[in-house]
Amino acid sequence: MKQMPKEYYELLEKLQAVDFALVELTLYLDTHPNDYQAIQQFNQLAQQRKHLKKQYETAYGPLQQYGNSYSNYPWNWNDTPWPWQV
Amino acid sequence: MWIYEKKLQYPVRVSTCNPKLAKYLIEQYGGADGELAAALRYLNQRYSIPDKVIGLLTDIGTEELAHLEMIATMVYKLTKDATPEQLKEAGLDAHYVNHDRALFYHNAAGVPWTATYIQAKGDPIADLYEDIAAEEKARATYQWIINMSDDPDLNDGLRFLREREIIHAQRFREAVEILKEERDRKKFF
């Protein structure tokens, strides 16, 4: 297991928490498409997520590729740790 | 298309190397009601289901792939430091002979995954009922594994997965109601 700093786990968990709410709201909205409040909450969280993604990627590298994240030089998508290594 | 995200949906921790638990968990990797079967079942049903529930099948099917990765991570962490002797003791000797510590899509008894685990009837209500049943069976399986496990860290991840099965079943039930409502509103030829 690669030893990552405490801050890594904290930031990762923050991202996982927001993403969980977004997954949950996505499934909910799939069957409740007219819930205005839920959509408002969804869009707020989506915005919050964008900031967290940027923060995470600046510190620990790209979360996605195929152009959904920027790359450092050299190409850092292959860098460990992969999710099962932390 | 799909885009991979380099993180787990929920943190996976294990307390100790424990190949016996990995042997049980593999049921949810390559078993009949496991995460692979779930993902492939829903993503395959999407093409012929009414438009109103395609989004739900896409999103739940995609979440199942994230769960598959969580199970894989659990199995990997529980076995990566195990000696052949420990694997043998846990009943994973046959697995070791064939795969070393590599993961493989089979159930807890070593039976390889098969497409016959999943159905696609083309009848939307029949397909969604199958999906509800699959979620309930997966929920029960998670409970049985939690009952067998004495690893509090692992159980935290397993409880998360068990709760997700409940939500998925709930959403599929709502999808059935949406389709029934549509059916009752529409004229059929």
Side-chain angles (χ1 to χ4, degrees):
Chain A
M1 295 286 105
K2 187 157 174 170
Q3 211 37 61
M4 299 296 285
K6 196 171 90 245
E7 296 76 31
Y8 167 83
Y9 291 97
E10 285 168 3
L11 190 53
L12 177 62
E13 205 161 309
K14 249 193 206 170
L15 189 61
Q16 283 167 326
V18 173
D19 279 355
F20 174 70
L22 283 164
V23 167
E24 186 65 341
L25 279 165
T26 298
L27 299 191
Y28 171 80
L29 285 165
D30 283 343
T31 54
H32 303 76
N34 299 313
D35 189 330
Y36 182 75
Q37 265 195 326
I39 292 171
Q40 265 190 321
Q41 199 188 358
F42 179 88
N43 285 334
Q44 272 170 12
L45 286 168
Q47 196 176 32
Q48 206 180 317
R49 207 259 169 205
K50 251 189 195 147
H51 293 301
L52 274 174
K53 173 183 155 93
K54 205 169 169 184
Q55 205 186 332
Y56 179 97
E57 291 187 325
T58 306
Y60 306 110
L63 277 165
Q64 297 187 348
Q65 251 341 326
Y66 302 119
N68 285 282
S69 299
Y70 292 107
S71 180
N72 284 352
Y73 181 85
W75 181 247
N76 58 348
W77 171 243
N78 293 332
D79 292 358
T80 55
W82 288 89
W84 53 94
Q85 297 171 330
V86 295
Chain B
M1 91 169 266
W2 271 266
I3 294 163
Y4 180 71
E5 187 150 282
K6 206 174 179 177
K7 75 179 204 324
L8 296 180
Q9 191 192 7
Y10 185 90
V12 165
R13 296 187 185 98
V14 310
S15 309
T16 52
C17 170
N18 191 336
K20 189 98 198 166
L21 284 177
K23 184 176 158 66
Y24 305 147
L25 268 174
I26 208 81
E27 182 68 32
Q28 289 300 78
Y29 195 64
D33 308 311
E35 303 292 354
L36 179 73
L40 297 182
R41 179 186 297 114
Y42 308 147
L43 294 175
N44 177 66
Q45 287 174 354
R46 297 182 304 156
Y47 303 97
S48 50
I49 208 105
D51 291 352
K52 284 221 161 179
V53 295
I54 294 176
L56 185 68
L57 283 171
T58 303
D59 296 334
I60 295 183
T62 300
E63 189 182 350
E64 303 295 6
L65 290 173
H67 296 171
L68 188 68
E69 190 184 31
M70 282 180 67
I71 296 291
T73 301
M74 290 172 179
V75 171
Y76 168 72
K77 288 188 173 185
L78 288 166
T79 54
K80 71 183 173 58
D81 299 321
T83 62
E85 198 52 47
Q86 282 175 305
L87 291 170
K88 193 173 163 185
E89 249 169 63
L92 285 171
D93 40 349
H95 180 97
Y96 177 74
V97 165
N98 196 356
H99 309 286
D100 193 340
R101 285 169 195 76
L103 275 76
F104 194 67
Y105 295 113
H106 58 63
N107 70 9
V111 180
W113 191 87
T114 157
T116 54
Y117 288 158
I118 65 175
Q119 306 277 316
K121 204 41 69 179
D123 179 290
I125 300 291
D127 281 349
L128 285 167
Y129 278 169
E130 144 137 355
D131 300 346
I132 295 165
E135 294 291 340
E136 297 292 1
K137 286 185 280 181
R139 173 187 54 73
T141 307
Y142 278 122
Q143 188 60 57
W144 310 153
I145 298 171
I146 290 167
N147 293 351
M148 299 291 277
S149 158
D150 54 0
D151 183 331
D153 289 324
L154 180 77
N155 284 353
D156 182 59
L158 290 176
R159 274 194 292 270
F160 171 83
L161 292 170
R162 181 191 61 190
E163 300 306 312
R164 297 311 293 154
E165 308 298 341
I166 297 170
I167 295 295
H168 291 174
Q170 173 65 27
R171 298 280 97 94
F172 283 135
R173 284 191 177 89
E174 290 161 358
V176 168
E177 294 312 308
I178 288 170
L179 291 188
K180 280 184 185 166
E181 221 174 273
E182 263 225 314
R183 177 195 61 190
D184 295 343
R185 220 177 326 115
K186 259 190 194 162
K187 276 194 188 126
F188 280 88
F189 306 99

